[in-house]
Amino acid sequence: MKQTLLLLLLNMLTTVHFAWASRQETDVKGKVVDEQQEPIVGASVYLLSSSTQAIIKTSVTNESGYYEIKNAPQGSFVIEVLVVGLSKFKSEPFTVVDTGIEMAVITMLPLSTEIEAVEVKGELPLIQSSNGKLILNVENSSISAGNNALEVLKRAPGVSVDKDDNVLLMGQQGVNVTIDGRQTYMTGDQLATFLKSTDGAQIKSIEVSTTRSAKDDAEGAAGVINIVMKKNRAEGFNGSFVASGGMGKHFRGNSSINLNYKKNNTTLFGNYSYTDNTRENDLDIERTISNNNVNTVSNQKSILIDNDHTHNYKVGIEQKTSDRNILTLQFNGNNNLEEQDNHSITNFGRNLVSIDSILNSVTISNQTFNRYSFNANNEFKIDTIGTKLTADVDYSMFRTTNNVDYDYRMLNPDRSPLYEPEVERNIMPVEIDIFAAKLDFLKPLGKGQLEAGVKYSNVKSDNNTQYNLFLGNSWQNDANRSNYFIYKEQIAAGYIDYNTTFGKWNAKVGLRGEYTISDGHSVTKDEQVKRDYLDLFPSGSLSYNAHENHVLALGYARKISRPNYRFLNPFEFYIDKFTFMKGNPYLNPQYTHNITLNYSLYKMFNIALGTDLTRDAIVESIGQDSTKNTTWVIRENLGRSSTSYVNISAPFRIGKFWTMYNNLTGIHMFFKGPIAGSYVSQGSVFFQGSSMNTFKLSKAFSAEMSVNYASPFLYNVYRIETKWNMDLGVSYNFKDERSSLKLAATDVFKTNRQDLSTNFAEFNSKIRQYHDAQSVRLTYTYKFGNLKQSIRKKDSDSEEKNRAL
C-alpha cells in the first residue's frame, strides 16, 4: 500500500513539475502503421517522462493512423505505443523545447522480436467503445460458449430480439446485420434461421453502430450490427476443437473444428461445425372477438418441439501475390434441417369458463435451409503513403423448402367430433440468388483521407407456394391460397467520403447515391408492381477533442429500410387455422433521418444520444373477421414515427479481480398515423439495461455473471411486458494452456419470457410465451498445433531507423 501511495505521489509531482517547467508549450505529432505500412486505428499513445516513466499525456490514433499530443510541456520524454496483439513500442528519449515536434513514422511489429518462438497473448475487455461503435468481445466468454449466433447477439449493448426473433437495435426494427462487414441480405425469419444455425464459438466480437458513413450501405434505419468471425494468422499449422453439451428441457449440443496453415505469403484456413439442438417452446394466447356485441373468447395453449440439425463450413485462401497485393478467396456453406412438432388445444366459448367447442391442432413442419456463398477480395496498395484499391465480388444462393402438415379437429366440450377432421398441407420452396460487386478507392489527400467507390447488386427471389386440401382421399390444390411470386431487385450505388483533421476538430462528410429497380410479379394473380427510383443519402460527422480524455462527436445520416421479400408477396402465410400473415406488394421503403451525439470520457465511459425520424414507416397492422374468428397481420406504410434514445456505457474495475461493464439504454418511441382502422398518436418510454461482470479468481479460474433487464413499453398496438434474466458462467484453463473448460447456466430464474397484450379498438388479446431459455452447458476447448509466432531478430540500429526518431 505504501509503495502504491509513493508511486502515485511521484507521478503527481512529476506531472506538476512539467506543467510548470515553462510557459511555452508545444505539440507532439506522428503516425503509427503496421508491418504492411497500413495505418493503425485506435492505438494508445503515451507521452512518458524519460526519467520517472510517469504518464504525462495520452492520445489515440485516428482513422489515418495519426496521433497528436496537444500542449506537451518542455522537457525530456519518450513515446510509448500499445496495440493489442502487437509488440509494445518505446522510443529513445527526445527533448521538447519551444517548437512542435513531428515524430518519424512508428512501425508496430508482431508481439515478439526474439529468436525463439513465443505465444501470442492478448485479452480484450468484454465491452469497449471504438470510433462510434460499441464492441462486445465474446471470443473468450464462458456465457457465450456453446450458444448460437442469435443467443450471442442478444447480449450486445442496445440489442434485443422480439417474440418473432426479429433483431432490434435501440428498440427498433430495420437493422442491417453484416458478417465481417458484408451484407447478409436477410431479414426476419430467414435472418433468424441463419443466426440460429451459426455456431457462436466461431464469433470473435459483435460491433454495434447507429451511425453510418457514405461508404456503408444505406440499408438499415436503426443501425448496423456487424458480426466479426474469428481469424487465426499465426505461423505454421494450428487450430482448435470445441465440444459443447447442454440441457434445457431437452438435450442440445454442438462441436466445431477450426484449422489454419500459414507459410510465407500463403494462408489456408477453414472450419466446420455441427449443431444439434432441441427446444420446447410454450405459448398461451387468449383472444376476445366481438360480433354484434356478442363476445367469443378463445384460449389457446401450445407446446412446440423444435429440432435443429445444422452443418456450417468455411474454406479459404489468402495469398500475398506481391509486396503490394493480397488476394483472398473464400467459400461458406450452411445446411440446416429444422423439424417442428406443434400441438395446441384451443377452447372457444362466451367466456373462459363456458366452453362451446374445442380445436385440437397438430402442425408438423420440416424446413431445410441451405446457404452457399463465394467471395473474392483483392487489395492493391498503389503507393507507400496509403493509397489503395480494393475489389470485392460476392455471390450467394439460398435454397429453402418448408413442408407443413396441418391437422385440425373441431370437438364438442365432451371431446366428441363436431366436424370432420380438416387435413391440409403447405409446400413453400424459396430460391434466392444474390450477386454483389464493389470497388473501393482510398487516398490520403491534403490533411485528410478521400474514399470513393461503386457497388452493384442483383437479387432474385423465387417463391412458389402450394396449398393442398385432403378431400375425397386425395390431395387437391387450393387455388385461393396458392401463389407463385417472383421478386427482382437491382441496386447501383456510388459514394464519396472525405475525412480531415484541423486542430482539435475532425470532420467527415460524404454522399451516397443508390438507384433501385425492382419488379414484384405475382404469376398466379397476374399482378406486377414495378418501381425504379434514385435516392441520395448524405452523411457527416464533426468531432471535437476538447482534451485527450474528452471527445465530443455530432453525426447525421439519411437511411433506408427496404421491405423483406416475403412481406411483398401478396399471399396469406397461415400460422394456424385462425391466424395468418398477409403480404403487401405495394409496400414501399421507409426513410429515416438519424442524428447522433456521442461523448467519450477518459476513453472508458461513452454516452450516446440519438434521434431517428422516419416517414412512410413500415408498421405491423392487424385485422380480424368477427364472423370467421380469424386474425391476420399485415405490413403497411403508415404515418410517421420517431425514436429518441440515450445509451450509457460505463465500465468499472473493483479491486484487482472484478471488472464490471454496465450498459443502460433509455428509449422514447412515438407513432402518429392510422393502424387497424383507427388513428393513433401515442408515445412510450422504456429502458434496457445490462451488467456484465467478470471475476479473475486466479490464473486458471475466472467467472462471469450477466444480468439483463427490459422495462414494459407500448409498441404500436402491443404492450410488451417486463422481462429480465441472469446468466452465470465459470472457466478453467488447464496448465498446458491449450485446454479449457467452461460451465454456463443461462436464464437461471426462468424469467426471460416474451409476454405481450393488445387492447386496442376491437382487438383484445394476451400472449404468453417462453422459448426454453433456461439451460446448463459444459464446453471443452482444445488448441493444437503451433500457437506461437517466430520472428527473426533484427539488429538494433536497423530497428530504430524503421520505427523511431
Side-chain angles (χ1 to χ4, degrees):
M1 183 68 181
K2 292 181 179 179
Q3 291 180 339
T4 303
L5 290 174
L6 287 172
L7 288 173
L8 287 173
L9 181 61
L10 180 61
N11 183 67
M12 292 172 62
L13 290 174
T14 306
T15 303
V16 171
H17 167 74
F18 281 110
W20 290 93
S22 173
R23 295 182 181 178
Q24 186 83 35
E25 295 186 328
T26 58
D27 299 340
V28 178
K29 304 177 182 178
K31 184 178 182 180
V32 180
V33 299
D34 59 19
E35 278 193 308
Q36 288 74 41
Q37 301 304 303
E38 288 291 316
I40 297 178
V41 181
S44 298
V45 182
Y46 301 92
L47 182 68
L48 307 179
S49 163
S50 61
S51 57
T52 66
Q53 299 296 299
I55 299 176
I56 308 302
K57 285 180 173 289
T58 64
S59 181
V60 177
T61 56
N62 61 19
E63 294 180 352
S64 302
Y66 288 100
Y67 65 89
E68 185 174 17
I69 300 176
K70 303 290 291 183
N71 301 321
Q74 296 183 20
S76 178
F77 304 98
V78 294
I79 286 289
E80 183 177 275
V81 182
L82 296 178
V83 179
V84 174
L86 298 179
S87 181
K88 180 174 72 174
F89 165 81
K90 183 176 286 188
S91 72
E92 291 294 319
F94 62 92
T95 302
V96 175
V97 287
D98 56 355
T99 58
I101 292 181
E102 183 157 355
M103 308 288 289
V105 174
I106 296 173
T107 301
M108 302 297 290
L109 301 174
L111 195 59
S112 171
T113 57
E114 298 296 325
I115 295 176
E116 69 224 57
V118 298
E119 184 173 1
V120 177
K121 292 184 178 179
E123 187 172 340
L124 293 171
L126 189 61
I127 296 178
Q128 63 182 138
S129 176
S130 176
N131 297 323
K133 298 177 182 177
L134 287 175
I135 303 173
L136 173 67
N137 295 299
V138 300
E139 187 171 9
N140 299 310
S141 172
S142 60
I143 294 177
S144 297
N147 262 321
N148 60 49
L150 186 64
E151 293 297 324
V152 175
L153 208 61
K154 293 177 182 179
R155 293 173 169 81
V159 178
S160 59
V161 177
D162 68 10
K163 63 181 179 63
D164 299 316
D165 285 338
N166 293 307
V167 178
L168 310 179
L169 180 58
M170 304 303 177
Q172 303 178 81
Q173 293 189 19
V175 183
N176 186 15
V177 178
T178 62
I179 307 292
D180 288 333
R182 297 185 179 90
Q183 279 205 68
T184 58
Y185 295 97
M186 290 181 287
T187 56
D189 56 345
Q190 277 196 337
L191 177 62
T193 300
F194 172 70
L195 293 175
K196 285 189 288 187
S197 63
T198 299
D199 183 12
Q202 302 297 327
I203 298 176
K204 177 183 178 183
S205 61
I206 307 291
E207 300 176 345
V208 177
S209 175
T210 57
T211 62
R212 56 165 289 274
S213 66
K215 182 180 180 180
D216 303 318
D217 290 287
E219 181 68 34
V224 177
I225 299 175
N226 183 41
I227 301 175
V228 181
M229 308 303 288
K230 292 180 181 178
K231 296 180 179 67
N232 191 337
R233 293 295 181 260
E235 289 286 339
F237 175 74
N238 52 79
S240 63
F241 171 76
V242 178
S244 179
M247 196 71 187
K249 287 190 175 181
H250 302 270
F251 176 80
R252 60 194 68 164
N254 65 284
S255 60
S256 64
I257 185 169
N258 187 52
L259 302 173
N260 185 81
Y261 177 76
K262 181 179 181 181
K263 185 173 179 62
N264 298 328
N265 296 323
T266 303
T267 302
L268 300 172
F269 55 91
N271 61 55
Y272 168 78
S273 66
Y274 174 72
T275 303
D276 192 336
N277 278 343
T278 301
R279 294 175 182 264
E280 182 175 318
N281 301 317
D282 301 324
L283 174 65
D284 294 343
I285 303 177
E286 179 185 316
R287 282 183 288 203
T288 301
I289 298 178
S290 180
N291 184 15
N292 295 325
N293 296 323
V294 176
N295 289 339
T296 298
V297 178
S298 65
N299 187 12
Q300 176 182 337
K301 295 185 179 297
S302 300
I303 297 177
L304 171 65
I305 308 296
D306 190 339
N307 296 284
D308 271 318
H309 313 276
T310 303
H311 301 270
N312 272 305
Y313 39 92
K314 176 175 70 176
V315 62
I317 179 173
E318 181 182 289
Q319 181 67 47
K320 189 174 182 181
T321 59
S322 71
D323 291 339
R324 296 193 295 171
N325 196 80
I326 299 177
L327 173 66
T328 304
L329 303 176
Q330 182 173 296
F331 173 79
N332 290 268
N334 179 285
N335 305 115
N336 170 253
L337 172 62
E338 183 177 9
E339 301 167 319
Q340 291 186 346
D341 190 347
N342 187 4
H343 288 251
S344 68
I345 299 291
T346 308
N347 295 325
F348 295 91
R350 300 304 177 200
N351 52 58
L352 294 175
V353 178
S354 177
I355 300 174
D356 298 331
S357 57
I358 301 171
L359 175 63
N360 188 346
S361 302
V362 177
T363 303
I364 299 176
S365 68
N366 291 277
Q367 175 178 290
T368 60
F369 175 83
N370 299 306
R371 172 183 179 264
Y372 308 98
S373 68
F374 173 79
N375 176 262
N377 181 281
N378 191 85
E379 181 181 293
F380 176 67
K381 298 175 183 177
I382 298 176
D383 54 36
T384 58
I385 64 172
T387 306
K388 66 178 181 180
L389 189 67
T390 304
D392 191 274
V393 177
D394 195 272
Y395 174 74
S396 301
M397 55 184 293
F398 303 84
R399 298 293 182 265
T400 304
T401 301
N402 192 11
N403 298 326
V404 187
D405 293 314
Y406 306 92
D407 189 309
Y408 304 120
R409 298 175 186 268
M410 208 69 173
L411 309 174
N412 287 302
D414 62 359
R415 302 284 175 156
S416 61
L418 183 61
Y419 305 116
E420 289 294 320
E422 299 177 65
V423 180
E424 304 173 356
R425 71 180 182 188
N426 183 13
I427 303 172
M428 294 186 289
V430 179
E431 296 182 0
I432 301 176
D433 293 280
I434 301 171
F435 171 80
K438 61 179 181 177
L439 190 66
D440 298 299
F441 174 75
L442 184 148
K443 180 178 178 60
L445 185 63
K447 295 183 178 181
Q449 181 174 274
L450 175 70
E451 291 183 274
V454 293
K455 180 181 179 180
Y456 171 78
S457 64
N458 189 315
V459 179
K460 180 183 178 182
S461 176
D462 190 302
N463 184 358
N464 189 5
T465 302
Q466 300 293 323
Y467 255 103
N468 297 324
L469 305 176
F470 192 72
L471 301 173
N473 295 322
S474 65
W475 289 104
Q476 299 182 21
N477 181 49
D478 186 348
N480 294 325
R481 293 159 66 182
S482 298
N483 186 58
Y484 184 21
F485 181 71
I486 300 174
Y487 180 77
K488 298 178 182 178
E489 181 182 86
Q490 299 179 71
I491 300 176
Y495 74 91
I496 186 168
D497 223 336
Y498 184 69
N499 179 38
T500 186
T501 301
F502 45 96
K504 296 182 178 181
W505 296 87
N506 178 269
K508 188 172 186 177
V509 293
L511 180 65
R512 184 180 185 89
E514 293 188 354
Y515 179 60
T516 305
I517 301 174
S518 66
D519 180 5
H521 183 201
S522 174
V523 179
T524 303
K525 294 185 176 183
D526 194 24
E527 295 177 354
Q528 198 163 4
V529 179
K530 291 185 176 183
R531 294 189 181 96
D532 66 279
Y533 49 93
L534 173 66
D535 287 315
L536 297 178
F537 300 96
S539 62
S541 64
L542 183 65
S543 64
Y544 177 67
N545 294 292
H547 186 272
E548 58 263 26
N549 291 324
H550 302 275
V551 180
L552 195 66
L554 177 67
Y556 164 79
R558 185 174 186 254
K559 306 176 184 179
I560 186 174
S561 285
R562 297 177 178 88
N564 186 305
Y565 313 138
R566 181 176 176 180
F567 297 161
L568 296 169
N569 190 347
F571 168 71
E572 297 176 353
F573 298 89
Y574 277 78
I575 300 170
D576 56 42
K577 184 177 177 61
F578 297 100
T579 310
F580 56 92
M581 188 191 84
K582 286 185 176 182
N584 181 5
Y586 301 101
L587 196 60
N588 291 311
Q590 68 176 26
Y591 295 89
T592 300
H593 296 277
N594 168 251
I595 302 172
T596 58
L597 180 64
N598 283 275
Y599 173 59
S600 295
L601 176 65
Y602 295 115
K603 303 171 189 173
M604 294 173 55
F605 307 100
N606 190 77
I607 302 175
L609 300 171
T611 298
D612 291 334
L613 305 174
T614 302
R615 63 177 177 86
D616 296 329
I618 298 176
V619 176
E620 183 179 289
S621 185
I622 58 178
Q624 65 184 24
D625 188 320
S626 57
T627 302
K628 298 180 179 179
N629 291 331
T630 57
T631 302
W632 63 84
V633 174
I634 187 171
R635 269 81 175 178
E636 298 178 289
N637 295 105
L638 301 171
R640 297 172 179 265
S641 68
S642 65
T643 302
S644 301
Y645 60 86
V646 55
N647 181 272
I648 301 173
S649 180
F652 293 97
R653 181 177 291 275
I654 303 174
K656 295 182 178 180
F657 74 99
W658 184 1
T659 305
M660 180 187 299
Y661 300 91
N662 302 306
N663 189 269
L664 176 65
T665 305
I667 305 171
H668 175 262
M669 302 183 72
F670 186 85
F671 177 81
K672 189 174 184 179
I675 297 181
S678 298
Y679 192 81
V680 175
S681 180
Q682 61 186 15
S684 176
V685 177
F686 64 101
F687 299 91
Q688 296 175 343
S690 66
S691 179
M692 298 186 181
N693 302 263
T694 58
F695 306 89
K696 192 68 175 179
L697 306 177
S698 68
K699 183 179 179 181
F701 272 106
S702 63
E704 291 182 43
M705 178 180 69
S706 173
V707 180
N708 299 277
Y709 171 81
S711 70
F713 69 101
L714 193 65
Y715 179 72
N716 294 338
V717 299
Y718 303 103
R719 175 180 169 79
I720 315 297
E721 303 298 339
T722 301
K723 69 174 181 177
W724 73 279
N725 68 283
M726 175 185 286
D727 300 336
L728 301 173
V730 61
S731 299
Y732 176 75
N733 296 312
F734 292 90
K735 291 183 179 180
D736 63 3
E737 297 187 351
R738 291 177 176 267
S739 307
S740 67
L741 271 179
K742 298 176 182 179
L743 178 66
T746 59
D747 196 17
V748 176
F749 298 102
K750 204 175 181 178
T751 52
N752 191 15
R753 302 184 58 85
Q754 295 278 3
D755 297 341
L756 59 108
S757 60
T758 302
N759 190 2
F760 174 77
E762 71 270 28
F763 304 97
N764 191 329
S765 63
K766 296 179 182 178
I767 301 175
R768 302 289 182 265
Q769 51 189 336
Y770 186 71
H771 288 311
D772 196 8
Q774 189 180 64
S775 67
V776 177
R777 290 190 321 278
L778 183 65
T779 303
Y780 172 74
T781 301
Y782 177 73
K783 299 176 182 178
F784 54 86
N786 177 31
L787 305 181
K788 303 178 180 181
Q789 290 189 354
S790 179
I791 310 296
R792 74 178 186 274
K793 188 174 181 179
K794 300 180 181 180
D795 66 276
S796 58
D797 290 340
S798 175
E799 187 175 10
E800 293 301 320
K801 288 179 182 178
N802 286 332
R803 69 177 190 175
L805 300 175

